[in-house]
Amino acid sequence: MNPPTISLSNVAFSYAGTMHTLFEGLSLDIPPGTTTAILGPNGSGKTTLLHLILGFVTPSDGVVLLAQRPRQHYSRRDLGKLIGLVSQNETVPFNFTVLDYVLLGRAPHLQLLQTPREADIIVAQDVLAETGLAHLQDRSIQSLSGGERQLVMVARALAQRPRILLLDEPTSHLDLGNKELVLNIIRRQTAQGVTTVFTTHKPDLAASVAAFVVLMRNGTVLAAGPTHEVLTAPNLTQTYGVPVEVVEVAGHRVILS
């Protein structure tokens, strides 16, 4: 078995100024080259878990390994080559065009103050085409709808050409068509060997695309493993605190609550 791409061992974390410990003794291995869903109700620690992996926050105890190296051994530039993040609510402070914003994803591959090369522009245009945004490349990002802006965030992360892709509630602002577009992007990234991890509070979404599922509640991992083993009625009932049924319909797992 290949070693995990992401590994957390006995991690503890609490936000400064609070008495509440969000994580204590948290251990988790994310398998390589798969799509993993971090599933749980709001406030269960899903977003903070992504931030711990990326280094936005630092654990008070424990170890975070990325590709078998401690996260703190990576430079910020090397982390930018390794990991792409699509945040749930990313703020864009400047009036970039869509193409210029997506080109920010090429920054880890450039020297300090170096301008994007022709090869970088080609990468950015390729991911705009992949996300269905090629026709918007000259538009101001501030003029886009919420769904279009969410897709631009995905395109910027893909432009990094990361080995690990983290997405925080990636379909939260999308209509049905664009939701399916993002799910297909996730599937293609996995097919290309990218380790993809996304958070969601929707079990159906996890069932539709993830091969591996982590169930969380109140900062605790309740279960982790292959989707067909973890997405059971007892596990989901424990996770959400309400009765949940899991049924098979035309070969697909449907969650009822």
Side-chain angles (χ1 to χ4, degrees), residues 51-74:
H51 290 176
L52 277 167
I53 293 169
L54 192 54
F56 285 178
V57 295
T58 302
S60 57
D61 199 7
V63 177
V64 178
L65 298 179
L66 303 174
Q68 303 178 70
R69 287 176 56 194
R71 189 202 58 208
Q72 64 269 26
H73 289 184
Y74 288 88

Side-chain angles (χ1 to χ4, degrees), residues 107-166:
H109 302 272
L110 300 173
Q111 300 299 321
L112 184 65
L113 302 180
Q114 183 181 8
T115 58
R117 303 153 297 188
E118 181 178 354
D120 299 307
I121 294 172
I122 290 172
V123 169
Q125 290 175 331
D126 284 348
V127 297
L128 284 172
E130 182 180 355
T131 50
L133 298 170
H135 63 294
L136 298 177
Q137 73 169 31
D138 296 321
R139 282 267 301 274
S140 162
I141 195 170
Q142 305 290 359
S143 71
L144 302 181
S145 68
E148 289 169 336
R149 193 176 299 193
Q150 181 80 358
L151 289 171
V152 173
M153 307 302 173
V154 173
R156 189 259 307 136
L158 294 181
Q160 293 173 235
R161 295 300 193 217
R163 292 166 52 197
I164 299 170
L165 181 62
L166 308 178

Side-chain angles (χ1 to χ4, degrees), residues 82-93:
L82 179 67
I83 305 179
L85 172 69
V86 180
S87 297
Q88 189 173 167
N89 295 299
E90 184 169 332
T91 300
V92 182

Side-chain angles (χ1 to χ4, degrees), residues 2-254:
N2 293 326
T5 301
I6 302 167
S7 182
L8 295 89
S9 179
N10 294 315
V11 166
F13 175 78
S14 58
Y15 284 102
T18 69
M19 299 296 292
H20 174 64
T21 299
L22 180 57
F23 298 133
E24 186 167 5
L26 185 146
S27 294
L28 177 66
D29 290 336
I30 302 294
T34 61
T35 298
T36 294
I38 309 294
L39 180 63
N42 294 332
S44 58
K46 303 186 300 294
T47 297
T48 303
L49 179 59
L50 294 190
H51 290 176
L52 277 167
I53 293 169
L54 192 54
F56 285 178
V57 295
T58 302
S60 57
D61 199 7
V63 177
V64 178
L65 298 179
L66 303 174
Q68 303 178 70
R69 287 176 56 194
R71 189 202 58 208
Q72 64 269 26
H73 289 184
Y74 288 88
S75 67
R76 179 53 59 182
R77 183 182 179 193
D78 287 340
L79 273 178
K81 292 179 181 179
L82 179 67
I83 305 179
L85 172 69
V86 180
S87 297
Q88 189 173 167
N89 295 299
E90 184 169 332
T91 300
V92 182
F94 302 110
N95 195 23
F96 290 105
T97 67
V98 169
L99 178 60
D100 285 341
Y101 179 77
V102 172
L103 279 168
L104 293 177
R106 300 302 299 163
H109 302 272
L110 300 173
Q111 300 299 321
L112 184 65
L113 302 180
Q114 183 181 8
T115 58
R117 303 153 297 188
E118 181 178 354
D120 299 307
I121 294 172
I122 290 172
V123 169
Q125 290 175 331
D126 284 348
V127 297
L128 284 172
E130 182 180 355
T131 50
L133 298 170
H135 63 294
L136 298 177
Q137 73 169 31
D138 296 321
R139 282 267 301 274
S140 162
I141 195 170
Q142 305 290 359
S143 71
L144 302 181
S145 68
E148 289 169 336
R149 193 176 299 193
Q150 181 80 358
L151 289 171
V152 173
M153 307 302 173
V154 173
R156 189 259 307 136
L158 294 181
Q160 293 173 235
R161 295 300 193 217
R163 292 166 52 197
I164 299 170
L165 181 62
L166 308 178
L167 306 102
D168 194 8
E169 300 280 358
T171 63
S172 59
H173 301 298
L174 301 180
D175 58 29
L176 288 177
N178 284 329
K179 172 185 171 182
E180 189 59 30
L181 174 61
V182 168
L183 294 183
N184 284 332
I185 288 169
I186 290 173
R187 293 182 182 106
R188 286 197 296 270
Q189 290 296 300
T190 302
Q192 295 167 15
V194 176
T195 299
T196 305
V197 182
F198 70 94
T199 67
T200 183
H201 59 275
K202 300 176 180 178
D204 284 328
L205 188 64
S208 70
V209 71
F212 192 88
V213 172
V214 178
L215 297 181
M216 295 190 67
R217 183 177 178 88
N218 296 328
T220 299
V221 173
L222 301 179
T227 301
H228 67 280
E229 296 179 5
V230 171
L231 285 188
T232 65
N235 282 346
L236 290 172
T237 296
Q238 182 185 12
T239 300
Y240 289 95
V242 296
V244 176
E245 293 183 52
V246 179
V247 297
E248 294 285 340
V249 178
H252 297 283
R253 188 165 294 200
V254 178

